[in-house]
Structures are given as structure tokens and as C-alpha cells.
Amino acid sequence: MSSITLLALDTSTEFCSVAVYRHDPAGGVPALMVERHLDTGPVSSTHILPAARDVLREAGVTLAECDAIAFGAGPGSFTGLRTACGVAQGLAFGAALPVVPVGTLLACAEAARALRVDTRRVLVALDARMNEAYWADYAWDVDAGDWREVQAPSLDAAEQVRTPDAEFVVAGNAVTAFGERLQAALQAQAVLADAMPRARYVATLAARAFARGEAIPADRAMPVYVRNKVAQTTAERDAIRQAASHGPGKEAP
């Protein structure tokens, strides 16, 4: 990989995560990662720009010295995805830089490999609220040194998440949210609930994508929602509460 400097943003979860990635193998500069990963809840928008200023200052680079701005494109929190995309676009327009959208589920797979270096297959499953999970299936391509998408990001009930056809680990917080309802996790080699989207993994994936020529103009950047429906209706919420109150195997009166 040639010399590259990236600013990466992710607000797809309750964390505001910002990182600077810098690598210059020709100049003998080792890879540098400076990150702020803050538990901000639903108010990431008030923290993201100060965090970006902090990591740029700590890394000793200016925004103008970056080659691109990467962001966690989704799926994830609707508000969070819009925040990361909008800030990435605004900074990119101001500095005349391209952007690199990175899938948040792919970032979870990258996190799993960072936590467990021998990982070759990752089933990613995140709590999507509304009784559903965002999920995808990725395989590590040894020859390419990158991920191959086996199953594109999808949205289903936890029981409908499909088990990979090879040994695998599960990444993401869906196991914590759904327990044994995520039946695929029962067959996994390991469950890595902490393998979640964050800026350092977005940056690492974006560096590879940038090297492949996958950066795009800022005005083409868009969040990846997967779900088009933001909230349940009152009737749907009542039905879920009623089903939960009767428990499994009980009939409603």
C-alpha cells in the first residue's frame, strides 16, 4: 500500500468514534492510529467535530494533508448515520477531498479479526431494535488480504439469521440483545460481542478501499440504511408487548 492519511468517522452506534490513520511505507513511517472513542449516547453530533480536531492535532496532521475522509455508512442508527455522512461531506467539501464510505457490518468483521487474528469467517449480527437484527456474512480472502462478502447486509428477525457453511465466529451485540433467539451463535467457535463498529476499523478498511481506487466525490456519499421503516406503529408495539406477556407456548385469551 502506498502512503495514505485518512480521517475516519463513525457514529452508527451510541459511540462517537473518530480516528486518524497514517501510513507511509516508502518513507519509513510506521502505521499510526490516533482515535477518540466516546460513549456519547444520542448526541454524537455535538462531539464529533471537537474529537476530529483533537485526533488531527495529536497525529500532527492537518485536514488538508489527508487523502480522504472515511465514514461508517451503515447500517446503524438513522440519526448517527446521517451525522457521520453529513460531517464527512462537509469536511470533504471544505478541504476538496474525496470520501470513502465503509459498511459498519464490515467494520465489525475487521474488529473480530483484530480481536482474534486467525479469524477467517465472520457472521456479523447487530441489534437493530424493533425486534430485528442487521446481519452479514464475511470470509477472509488470504490471497487478497481482504474480506469477501458472502451475504450482503440484511435485516431480519434474529431467528432468521443464517448460519455460515464453514467454521465461523459471531461479531456484534445481537447475541447480548437476543440470546438463544440468535440460533446461529450456538454453533459459533466464539462470540465476540465487543467486535463493534468504531473509527479505527473504518479507517483500516478505508485505506484498503482507497488503494483500490474506491474513493468517491463528497456529493455522492450516502448512508446505507437497509431498513426503510424508522419506527413501529402503536399496534405493532402493543402486539409485541402482548406476545411477551403471554410467554412462549401460551395462547392469548
Side-chain angles (χ1 to χ4, degrees):
M1 186 182 296
S2 59
S3 173
I4 185 170
T5 302
L6 291 166
L7 175 67
L9 317 170
D10 185 83
T11 53
S12 62
T13 67
E14 66 274 16
F15 286 84
C16 174
S17 195
V18 182
V20 168
Y21 173 89
R22 192 175 193 184
H23 187 41
D24 183 9
V29 177
L32 169 71
M33 185 77 74
V34 178
E35 185 186 43
R36 294 287 186 278
H37 190 64
L38 310 170
D39 188 350
T40 57
V43 291
S44 293
S45 58
T46 63
H47 295 271
I48 190 168
L49 287 174
R53 286 194 294 268
D54 287 347
V55 294
L56 286 166
R57 186 184 304 114
E58 186 174 337
V61 300
T62 65
L63 188 62
E65 293 175 307
C66 293
D67 295 293
I69 299 175
F71 70 98
S77 158
F78 277 62
T79 300
L81 298 183
R82 291 194 294 270
T83 295
C85 182
V87 171
Q89 285 181 308
L91 293 175
F93 278 130
L97 296 174
V99 299
V100 184
V102 173
T104 50
L105 300 187
L106 185 60
C108 292
E110 187 72 13
R113 188 164 174 82
L115 294 171
R116 187 182 169 105
V117 295
D118 60 342
T119 295
R120 298 288 183 89
R121 189 73 173 266
V122 182
L123 175 67
V124 179
L126 297 182
D127 181 9
R129 312 295 183 181
M130 294 174 62
N131 219 32
E132 293 177 308
Y134 296 122
W135 69 283
D137 184 357
Y138 299 101
W140 180 256
D141 187 323
V142 177
D143 294 331
D146 209 344
W147 295 102
R148 174 174 58 85
E149 185 181 89
V150 179
Q151 167 64 47
S154 302
L155 177 69
D156 289 292
E159 294 86 349
Q160 295 176 318
V161 174
R162 292 197 296 273
T163 303
D165 58 1
E167 290 186 343
F168 68 100
V169 302
V170 171
N173 64 1
V175 172
T176 304
F178 298 108
E180 292 188 359
R181 289 181 54 198
L182 187 69
Q183 297 170 13
L186 302 178
Q187 302 177 47
Q189 293 176 295
V191 175
L192 306 174
D194 292 335
M196 294 287 288
R198 59 187 292 172
R200 64 171 54 246
Y201 305 123
V202 170
T204 303
L205 291 163
R208 295 183 206 143
F210 185 86
R212 295 192 298 266
E214 296 177 7
I216 62 174
D219 62 0
R220 288 178 51 200
M222 293 182 63
V224 176
Y225 291 124
V226 179
R227 170 190 282 147
N228 293 320
K229 184 178 181 181
V230 180
Q232 293 165 324
T233 65
T234 300
E236 287 169 334
R237 290 195 297 271
D238 287 344
I240 290 172
R241 282 195 295 267
Q242 185 177 21
S245 68
H246 291 300
K250 298 181 180 179
E251 295 183 359

